[in-house]
Amino acid sequence: MAVSSYIETDRIILPLRETNGPDGIRICVLPTEAQTAIFAARSIINIPIHKPDATVTFATGNTMVQPYAELARLTATMGVRWSDIRMNHLDEYGGASANDPESFARYLRERVTVPLGIINAHFMNGTADNLEHEAARYESLLTPADLVILGIGPGGHIGFNEPQTPFDSRTHVVQLSEETVSRDTARGQTKRTHAITQGIGNITEAAQILLIAYGKQKAEYLRPVLYNDITPDCPASALRLPGVGPKVSLLLDCEAAAWLNL
Ligand code: F6R
């Protein structure tokens, strides 16, 4: 296990432990969710600073609320410009309109594009008449991203690539797993059975992949990702494919990394 190190930010010292995971994956562990979110924002902001015209794919979900809030704060404090960054959408619920409070389009508008000042933003249309055509339209807009920001969900899904999704999949329409539907309805959301998602092929071709996770439940999802076989049974295990692992950083709080025994 790697030694603890400290990174100094604007008046914040983050106690970071960094270690090498399997197949070249870098694992960064911070004590709390709040510190993990701050570290995530620090990592993401390097993109507009070093490559102002980069393409970034943004996940949504509970995990990203704090990192994106911190990213907005940091952007304002540091005066970072996102105006030439291209924003891609990772996934969207079928049937969710851009103004629906549960839609990922609205989430990204409120937490990412408006606060960061991103103009070049490309949204999926969850209410398109034909979702298959919408997935194909979206796929035709994509080039490999400079950075993909991911969370992880039931069954080890990344984006909405549920178990058994082929590793070379491109943007497609997916039937959400029972586990994902139950999680979302337990959160009080509308029952939605379908979504559009960028495929595992889109995700793994990115130059850099950041996966953020906090809490004990995420530890359950992550363990097979790192220690079981690389198989479509566990979509996130694609992050260990040859040539992909060294591009991946996992940013975890202590609970999500419990099994790492740091
Ligand atoms: C959302 C997405 C999903 C979520 C995952 C975790 O855009 O791509 O893969 O990242 O379901 O969701 P939360 O963070 O809500 O636990």
Side-chain angles (χ1 to χ4, degrees):
M1 212 46 77
V3 202
S4 292
S5 65
Y6 290 84
I7 53 164
E8 192 158 354
T9 66
D10 61 342
R11 297 190 209 129
I12 302 170
I13 306 283
L14 292 174
L16 166 71
R17 283 165 184 250
E18 193 171 334
T19 187
N20 298 321
D23 303 295
I25 291 183
R26 170 181 174 238
I27 305 180
C28 299
V29 182
L30 290 114
T32 66
E33 181 174 331
Q35 288 165 325
T36 310
I38 292 170
F39 184 64
R42 298 266 151 193
S43 308
I44 297 166
I45 208 153
N46 281 317
I47 291 285
I49 291 173
H50 296 294
K51 191 173 180 195
D53 62 348
T55 296
V56 183
T57 296
F58 290 85
T60 62
N62 291 352
T63 307
M64 303 303 158
V65 171
Q66 280 197 68
Y68 293 163
E70 175 62 15
L71 194 57
R73 191 197 67 79
L74 212 52
T75 293
T77 310
M78 296 170 69
V80 175
R81 280 169 49 86
W82 290 77
S83 47
D84 294 325
I85 294 285
R86 179 193 165 101
M87 189 227 64
N88 287 335
H89 214 159
L90 182 59
D91 44 14
E92 181 60 281
Y93 289 116
S97 74
N99 282 325
D100 186 323
E102 292 175 4
S103 78
F104 292 165
R106 179 154 172 184
Y107 178 111
L108 289 174
R109 224 172 44 238
E110 291 178 351
R111 294 187 165 84
V112 176
T113 57
V114 171
L116 302 186
I118 295 178
I119 300 154
N120 193 7
H122 297 266
F123 292 100
M124 291 174 177
N125 177 5
T127 51
D129 287 341
N130 184 324
L131 286 185
E132 304 282 351
H133 290 172
E134 175 58 9
R137 179 195 73 84
Y138 203 80
E139 174 65 27
S140 73
L141 299 175
L142 295 177
T143 52
D146 294 282
L147 172 68
V148 176
I149 304 163
L150 298 176
I152 186 165
H157 78 207
I158 45 176
F160 272 141
N161 294 286
E162 302 285 25
Q164 311 311 331
T165 306
F167 284 167
D168 61 358
S169 54
R170 311 299 301 182
T171 309
H172 62 287
V173 178
V174 61
Q175 175 160 6
L176 296 171
S177 71
E178 279 177 26
E179 231 184 321
T180 299
V181 174
S182 315
R183 177 203 64 176
D184 290 348
T185 48
R187 289 177 172 178
Q189 291 180 206
T190 310
K191 182 172 180 184
R192 299 187 197 273
T193 54
H194 288 79
I196 300 175
T197 185
Q198 287 198 34
I200 295 176
N202 301 99
I203 293 169
T204 52
E205 73 187 7
Q208 209 189 324
I209 302 165
L210 209 64
L211 187 152
I212 309 168
Y214 337 102
K216 294 195 180 99
Q217 176 68 76
K218 300 296 168 103
E220 295 306 313
Y221 300 152
L222 283 166
R223 191 181 178 116
V225 172
L226 294 177
Y227 297 119
N228 291 3
D229 291 344
I230 301 175
T231 155
D233 292 347
C234 177
S237 68
L239 301 179
R240 287 171 46 208
L241 285 170
V244 180
K247 303 189 292 183
V248 176
S249 298
L250 305 187
L251 273 45
L252 312 176
D253 75 348
C254 277
E255 287 194 341
W259 37 265
L260 285 173
N261 216 5
L262 284 168

